[in-house]
Amino acid sequence: MQAQYTVALVGFPPAEVATLSSFFRLAARRPPAYVVQDEPRTADLLLVNADHPRAIAAVQRAALPARVMLIGLSDGGSGWPLQQRPVRLVPLLSALDRVMVPPPPAPPPPPSIPEPRRDFASTDVMPHREFASTDVMPPQALQSRFHPQSRVMTDVPRGEALLVAQSLVEGRILLKRFRQYGLAMDWCREPQQAQAMMAAHPYRLVVIDRVQGEPDGLSLCRQAKQRRPDAPVVVMFATTTGSMERMKAGLAGADAYLSRSVSEGELHRLLVRHDLAEEGGFQATNFGEF
């Protein structure tokens, strides 16, 4: 396998170009490395924004010898391999490896060996009515009792925004901060329940505080952004603001990755930018320490 390939990013906005370039630089130690360059005509691989039809058309007209990978919702009939948004780091690298170096054909399966015949008397399945006279529950009852998908959530009115925060103290602080802008907030402390609530209700805003366990905050963010076409705005709060964690949040689809000490003015401008608050002023509120 070649040790390094050059990649040209086509049709992406500046923020995504910066995020993808940072990711490729951090992943350059694993072979093969992918090095971003500006010139698409000499690149080994073109990474194209599938949600930008003009970018796909330009690559088709150019007929360059480079291999092509799309990122977006649809391949536009091009037949090129496609990675859905939100982008996940490790699967993206694996997909690029498959595009650049296709795996060898699988070996033929071994010849099947016929099993020896076993003669035994057939057994009749117990009819459902006979379960009533035994201590055994019928299969349908077992499935409805223990199958995860059989659990029905109570149908209650939902707000326009969802807060996922496991900490009781920090959750109350964040709930108070967002409610001052007139947002009808639901608060969930269990990530599994948050998954079910997002699947059942079209929230406009999802606020994710530090989440421990499975699913984690990034998984919740990906699920929220996969709801098309009405994906909510996702704001993630974290105690660390390192570049790697911020990049992971961006590729998971987060619209903002904030520290808990974010100023009220910056938070207000973020909500106004996404039509979640009015442009007028707000009253300063004492929220305590994070």
Side-chain angles (χ1 to χ4, degrees):
M1 180 181 292
Q2 183 174 330
Q4 177 175 296
Y5 296 105
T6 54
V7 182
L9 306 177
V10 182
F12 293 96
E16 289 191 351
V17 170
T19 299
L20 289 169
S21 299
S22 298
F23 165 60
F24 284 126
R25 283 196 300 270
L26 290 173
R29 294 182 179 179
R30 68 171 293 276
Y34 293 92
V35 179
V36 177
Q37 67 176 36
D38 296 330
E39 178 52 63
R41 289 176 295 182
T42 59
D44 300 315
L45 172 69
L46 302 181
L47 202 58
V48 184
N49 183 2
D51 299 329
H52 195 321
R54 295 177 60 185
I56 296 180
V59 173
Q60 289 174 326
R61 288 195 304 270
L64 300 176
R67 298 182 183 272
V68 179
M69 166 75 76
L70 303 178
I71 294 180
L73 293 178
S74 170
D75 66 357
S78 64
W80 286 322
L82 175 73
Q83 285 289 298
Q84 292 280 349
R85 281 193 171 91
V87 180
R88 303 182 66 179
L89 305 181
V90 175
L92 175 61
L93 284 177
S94 300
L96 293 178
D97 293 345
R98 290 193 297 270
V99 168
M100 300 308 297
V101 182
S112 59
I113 301 176
E115 295 185 0
R117 179 178 177 181
R118 297 182 177 91
D119 295 325
F120 56 88
S122 61
T123 303
D124 294 331
V125 178
M126 182 183 291
H128 287 239
R129 62 179 179 274
E130 296 185 17
F131 276 102
S133 61
T134 69
D135 294 331
V136 181
M137 297 180 67
Q140 290 80 357
L142 289 173
Q143 182 178 12
S144 63
R145 186 174 180 182
F146 296 108
H147 198 282
Q149 295 181 353
S150 65
R151 298 176 184 174
V152 179
M153 293 186 61
T154 305
D155 188 11
V156 296
R158 297 294 180 189
E160 59 184 331
L162 173 64
L163 167 65
V164 187
Q166 292 177 318
S167 169
L168 186 61
V169 175
E170 293 165 354
R172 286 175 176 172
I173 294 173
L174 288 174
L175 195 67
K176 191 174 182 181
R177 294 192 74 174
F178 282 90
R179 278 182 174 172
Q180 72 168 334
Y181 299 106
L183 293 169
M185 300 285 293
D186 295 338
W187 179 13
C188 177
R189 299 181 63 191
E190 297 296 332
Q192 295 87 352
Q193 184 182 5
Q195 284 185 315
M197 293 172 69
M198 288 191 297
H201 184 72
Y203 289 103
R204 295 177 59 205
L205 169 68
V206 174
V207 181
I208 303 173
D209 192 34
R210 179 178 55 190
V211 175
Q212 297 179 347
E214 292 294 337
D216 60 7
L218 294 176
S219 299
L220 293 176
C221 178
R222 294 187 190 100
Q223 177 184 338
K225 284 301 185 180
Q226 286 170 354
R227 182 162 190 149
R228 301 289 182 176
D230 52 350
V233 176
V234 176
V235 176
M236 297 188 68
F237 281 88
T239 55
T240 60
T241 56
S243 58
M244 188 64 183
E245 296 302 318
R246 184 178 297 276
M247 183 177 65
K248 288 181 179 179
L251 291 178
D255 297 280
Y257 183 78
L258 307 175
S259 67
R260 290 201 181 101
S261 59
V262 62
S263 69
E264 208 59 44
E266 183 179 351
L267 181 59
H268 179 244
R269 287 191 294 271
L270 171 66
L271 296 177
V272 169
R273 187 161 62 248
H274 292 283
D275 296 325
L276 294 168
E278 297 181 357
E279 293 189 13
F282 56 88
Q283 295 295 326
T285 307
N286 181 14
F287 298 105
E289 297 294 332
F290 272 82

